[in-house]
Amino acid sequence: MLVDNHNRTINYVRLAVTDRCNLRCNYCMPAEGINFAKNDKLFTIDELSRLSEILVSQGVDKIRITGGEPFVRKDLMVLMRHLSQLEGLNDISVTTNATLIGPYIDELKELGIKNINVSMDAINRETFEKITRRDHYDTVHNNIIRLITEGFNVRINFIALEGQNTEDILPMLELTKHYGVSVRFLEEMPFNGGSKTFESIAWDYKRILAYVKERHLDYYELPSPKTSTSINYKIPGFKGSFGVIPSFSRTFCGSCNRLRISATGDVITCLYAQPSMNIRDILRGEGSTEKIKESILKAIGSRSKTGFEAQQKYKGVFANSMTSIGG
């Protein structure tokens, strides 16, 4: 079992398989993109499989596959097949933009991998295309509906962006009226490749909730797991639910149970912290299994207590893009 220096059990790893993405969302990176890692700097699928085995042996029972966009890796399903056979791994999840998942939906279902988070920040086509700088609206919408109707546990992540998409909050919420889907509204974070910096946000989780209440007075809070980053709610008569994730306000740090590992091997103990170390070269060296275990223990043994504490150690512009630190 992995326990950090603040007595928080770490059983959940967000494992990035690539830093590449086929969208160019304006809150994530500049229009021209970022300097993506060279292929030899990325984990191979065999390395990701072996790393997953090591993590599970240390008590990790949930792995979320992230990117970038994970499905830009044409060999991704090799990893998914391996993960589905790992004893002790109880939850395999994927975060995707749903542009490329279509051909893999049937196999994911066969493997029992049914927890899918979809990043979609607008229900309006024009707004979607302005934010993503790409024309993939129909593909994303159709894949989301297909995932829902085929029984996947779908959660849509919607980042509230001042002056861009807040008019879509209520229309996006309408999806939960007709489908058993969860829509989660996230606060904007400063991980955008250095294209913008800010000290505060216009749409924090309290404002989002107040905005929803103007239309739906009778929503009520649902019980959530202690380690949930989302505060979840239900509107009477709606099939699905909605939630808010205070990713900038950082109200959930006290129960944080997660670790991020980037596609290039950076171990990230908090989104607002610098990487603790890089384990890619360790994994490629001799006697790597025990060294990886020691490195993971060392990383979680020096975690910041909160995201605010982590931020204090890293002053200045947040130059990282979300696509390079696990999406």
Side-chain angles (χ1 to χ4, degrees):
M1 183 180 293
L2 297 170
V3 180
D4 75 5
N5 49 318
H6 302 288
N7 206 34
R8 296 172 294 201
T9 299
I10 311 302
N11 68 318
Y12 171 20
V13 170
R14 296 177 60 99
L15 186 61
V17 298
T18 183
D19 62 345
R20 290 163 176 76
C21 187
N22 57 330
L23 302 183
R24 291 292 179 270
C25 297
N26 60 26
Y27 59 84
C28 181
M29 66 177 98
E32 65 274 14
I34 61 170
N35 292 321
F36 296 112
K38 294 180 180 178
N39 285 337
D40 65 344
K41 301 296 183 184
L42 299 173
F43 283 125
T44 66
I45 290 297
D46 284 346
E47 289 168 344
L48 288 165
S49 297
R50 197 153 65 86
L51 177 58
S52 300
E53 291 174 7
I54 295 169
L55 292 166
V56 171
S57 76
Q58 290 185 287
V60 169
D61 60 14
K62 176 178 179 178
I63 291 179
R64 176 173 295 281
I65 298 301
T66 70
E69 166 50 43
F71 288 98
V72 302
R73 280 199 74 146
K74 293 181 170 53
D75 53 359
L76 177 65
M77 293 307 295
V78 177
L79 174 64
M80 305 308 281
R81 291 173 205 129
H82 182 79
L83 293 180
S84 70
Q85 296 173 1
L86 278 186
E87 189 174 342
L89 184 57
N90 302 324
D91 185 342
I92 307 164
S93 310
V94 183
T95 293
T96 174
N97 61 32
T99 57
L100 303 171
I101 195 173
Y104 308 104
I105 289 176
D106 288 343
E107 186 173 4
L108 288 168
K109 194 172 181 178
E110 289 171 11
L111 294 174
I113 299 171
K114 301 188 76 173
N115 294 328
I116 309 292
N117 284 12
V118 178
S119 302
M120 188 179 187
D121 305 297
I123 198 72
N124 175 276
R125 179 190 299 273
E126 183 180 353
T127 306
F128 176 89
E129 291 177 1
K130 281 184 179 177
I131 292 174
T132 64
R133 304 186 179 111
R134 296 291 187 270
D135 178 15
H136 291 310
Y137 180 86
D138 288 336
T139 301
V140 171
H141 186 270
N142 292 341
N143 280 334
I144 287 175
I145 299 303
R146 183 181 167 197
L147 286 163
I148 294 170
T149 55
E150 293 202 18
F152 285 80
N153 174 30
V154 178
R155 300 190 296 192
I156 298 173
N157 289 341
F158 177 114
I159 299 178
L161 305 164
E162 169 72 0
Q164 293 199 70
N165 68 349
T166 52
E167 290 183 356
D168 274 22
I169 288 175
L170 293 176
M172 182 68 85
L173 196 54
E174 283 296 302
L175 278 177
T176 71
K177 182 177 183 179
H178 306 287
Y179 298 102
V181 64
S182 173
V183 173
R184 288 109 59 86
F185 300 104
L186 287 78
E187 297 175 341
E188 186 179 6
M189 292 174 285
F191 308 106
N192 47 53
S195 61
K196 173 185 173 186
T197 185
F198 47 83
E199 296 298 325
S200 62
I201 53 173
W203 285 83
D204 65 8
Y205 74 102
K206 293 178 181 177
R207 183 176 178 185
I208 295 168
L209 288 173
Y211 184 67
V212 171
K213 197 152 203 132
E214 290 175 12
R215 175 73 64 85
H216 302 285
L217 289 170
D218 53 352
Y219 73 72
Y220 58 93
E221 187 171 347
L222 296 170
S224 299
K226 179 184 175 184
T227 55
S228 175
T229 58
S230 176
I231 310 166
N232 301 300
Y233 302 89
K234 181 86 171 176
I235 298 171
F238 281 36
K239 290 184 178 180
S241 62
F242 78 96
V244 288
I245 299 182
S247 38
F248 188 79
S249 301
R250 286 162 266 184
T251 62
F252 45 71
C253 298
S255 58
C256 181
N257 66 333
R258 66 192 59 198
L259 194 66
R260 289 171 179 261
I261 300 178
S262 77
T264 56
D266 284 339
V267 178
I268 302 167
T269 60
C270 173
L271 265 178
Y272 290 85
Q274 289 180 302
S276 301
M277 62 184 64
N278 188 285
I279 58 173
R280 180 195 60 228
D281 292 338
I282 300 173
L283 191 65
R284 292 175 178 176
E286 295 292 327
S288 59
T289 298
E290 291 307 314
K291 290 178 182 176
I292 290 293
K293 289 182 178 180
E294 291 168 8
S295 297
I296 296 295
L297 287 170
K298 183 178 179 181
I300 67 166
S302 58
R303 294 180 86 204
S304 296
K305 189 171 184 178
T306 68
F308 295 105
E309 181 183 306
Q311 186 177 352
Q312 286 300 311
K313 298 176 184 177
Y314 181 37
K315 297 184 183 297
V317 176
F318 288 93
N320 286 327
S321 164
M322 282 299 290
T323 195
S324 64
I325 53 176

